[in-house]
Amino acid sequence: KPGAKGLPASLAWKDPDAFIVHSSQTVETKRGLIGSGVVTPIDRLFIRNNVNPPSDAIVADRDAWRVEIAGVASPRTLSVAELKRIGLASVATVLQCSGNGRKYMQDALQPGQKISGTPWTVGAAGCVIWTGVPLKAVVDALGGPAPGVRFVTGTGGEELPAGLKPKDVMVERSVPLSTLDTVLLAWEVNGEPLPLAHGGPLRMIVPGYSGVNNIKYVKTVALTEAETDAKIQAASYRMHGVGEKAGPAQPSIWEQPVRSWITAPLENGAAGRTVVTGVAFGGMNAVARVEVSIDGGRTWADAPLIGPDLGRYAWRLFALALDLPAGTHVLASRATDAAGTVQPEETKPNGGGYSYNGWRGPAVTLTIA
Ligand code: MSS
């Protein structure tokens, strides 16, 4: 039965006022309620499940959870307790659904065109700190990668619904082997044991990569020669044109593009001093610069980055104090990453509504009296 404000009962521990509940499996953080600190409180972090989560029995004894490590010289199944004796690392990342911002693409479609999927605006994202063991340390402890491997493939621990082909529903994703230096098997988030809803007891974190690649309740991590042929890899989360069929030859939704949006002000108000705040991240690269416009992108001013820098995979906060005169203003932010890539004005709609990063979509129109 649903909990407060339509949240599923399993999420009753979350702040019910912080969310737009699209469905029991897609829960978006309200813009502006992400908090004004750099780390997103876990009770306000969005939720996206592709399949029903496992029972919470799996977090009763977290250390007993077992993960099979394959594609190494000496394959083994290890418990979380054993993983904790292999290594320890901590990384802050932006966890963001591949479809965050899909609504802006859906709004821009021509008659007859369609992009299905949750109409997320900016709230399928948060910045959190993961703690666990580096996958590299685990692989080294098991003798190193088997010859010929090219991908890291993680499998979710859901029980699959009966009567369906397992490959059609399983959450199994492959990412390039180049991620081996940064992938973390995490048991903690923001200093707390990882809640089941966010993938506890153990989650595979791929820093810089979009949400779907971060496998919850991970039960197998395999170094593989090929990408998995599970449907979620082969025929979904691919970059393809609107109306085109998705397939394994198209680019996979992996690295996140540079992006930013404003988190305040979001409401009409009185003329005068205000602080324009927001978040900016570069996906694989640090953020180098954020600019703010109050005239819909005609002119831009540099916005200071504030607060701690939690590393290249985290987002940065920006805050620009300015005087907002009476009138109608279109507020927008535009980020540039350390490689010099500038956030574009618009992102061309694609068939899955993935990787939106335009500054125009989340621009805020305010009437100031
Ligand atoms: N994992 C698993 N195991 N299952 C599922 O379903 N999903 C995805 C990821 N992972 C899944 C997984 C997605 S898709 C996302 S976003 C993410 O997760 C989310 O997270 P959270 O924690 O927030 O819920 Mo889109 O790209």
Side-chain angles (χ1 to χ4, degrees):
K1 77 174 195 318
K5 310 254 160 104
L7 274 185
S10 60
L11 301 178
W13 56 276
K14 293 220 173 218
D15 176 353
D17 295 321
F19 296 104
I20 303 159
V21 180
H22 294 288
S23 76
S24 62
Q25 312 283 37
T26 46
V27 177
E28 171 164 10
T29 311
K30 284 186 191 157
R31 189 169 182 178
L33 290 187
I34 203 79
S36 43
V38 62
V39 172
T40 305
I42 210 74
D43 67 346
R44 298 195 200 161
L45 185 63
F46 81 101
I47 291 281
R48 162 66 167 133
N49 296 315
N50 298 64
V51 195
N52 277 335
S55 125
D56 58 8
I58 69 167
V59 288
D61 183 358
R62 294 159 168 284
D63 280 356
W65 179 260
R66 290 163 70 78
V67 58
E68 181 191 342
I69 311 290
V72 291
S74 317
R76 259 194 71 184
T77 297
L78 295 166
S79 67
V80 170
E82 288 171 304
L83 290 179
K84 286 180 175 170
R85 293 196 292 268
I86 293 178
L88 188 69
S90 198
V91 65
T93 73
V94 174
L95 179 71
Q96 174 182 234
C97 182
S98 312
N100 195 34
R102 178 182 288 120
K103 176 157 198 314
Y104 307 124
M105 289 188 192
Q106 290 169 332
D107 288 349
L109 291 175
Q110 305 299 312
Q113 290 187 316
K114 189 176 183 261
I115 297 175
S116 33
T118 305
W120 307 108
T121 57
V122 293
C127 179
V128 294
I129 302 176
W130 310 97
T131 301
V133 62
L135 178 59
K136 180 80 169 49
V138 178
V139 166
D140 287 348
L142 301 183
V149 296
R150 292 172 50 220
F151 297 93
V152 178
T153 299
T155 314
E158 287 100 340
E159 244 175 68
L160 299 179
L164 296 173
K165 280 203 217 109
K167 291 272 180 188
D168 286 354
V169 278
M170 70 198 305
V171 179
E172 183 170 273
R173 291 280 303 172
S174 301
V175 295
L177 190 64
S178 58
T179 62
L180 184 56
D181 289 328
T182 55
V183 170
L184 199 68
L185 301 180
W187 49 78
E188 214 176 88
V189 67
N190 295 355
E192 293 174 41
L194 186 55
L196 176 75
H198 293 294
L202 192 71
R203 185 169 190 168
M204 183 172 114
I205 300 301
V206 188
Y209 278 53
S210 73
V212 68
N213 301 291
N214 296 263
I215 302 296
K216 306 197 228 188
Y217 3 90
V218 68
K219 68 166 187 193
T220 306
V221 177
L223 305 186
T224 55
E225 291 177 21
E227 290 182 39
T228 171
D229 59 357
K231 193 175 172 199
I232 196 170
Q233 177 90 13
S236 316
Y237 299 90
R238 294 281 168 180
M239 196 51 88
H240 58 99
V242 178
E244 263 172 42
K245 213 169 151 355
Q250 298 148 355
S252 196
I253 305 300
W254 281 335
E255 299 182 354
Q256 305 182 102
V258 59
R259 192 167 180 198
S260 73
W261 56 82
I262 285 169
T263 53
L266 302 174
E267 307 281 340
N268 298 336
R273 201 74 180 158
T274 190
V275 184
V276 179
T277 65
V279 296
F281 54 101
M284 302 301 285
N285 299 312
V287 167
R289 179 182 191 197
V290 180
E291 299 157 284
V292 162
S293 174
I294 60 168
D295 55 14
R298 264 194 338 111
T299 61
W300 296 90
D302 275 295
L305 301 177
I306 61 149
D309 179 351
L310 298 182
R312 62 199 286 206
Y313 304 113
W315 64 29
R316 294 297 308 269
L317 304 176
F318 60 87
L320 178 65
L322 48 74
D323 289 308
L324 221 44
T328 297
H329 307 289
V330 179
L331 276 57
S333 65
R334 180 170 75 179
T336 304
D337 73 11
T341 307
V342 185
Q343 188 182 350
E345 176 169 358
E346 265 306 349
T347 311
K348 193 167 161 246
N350 60 77
Y354 298 126
S355 301
Y356 182 87
N357 73 331
W359 58 257
R360 181 64 72 182
V364 182
T365 303
L366 295 182
T367 304
I368 299 300

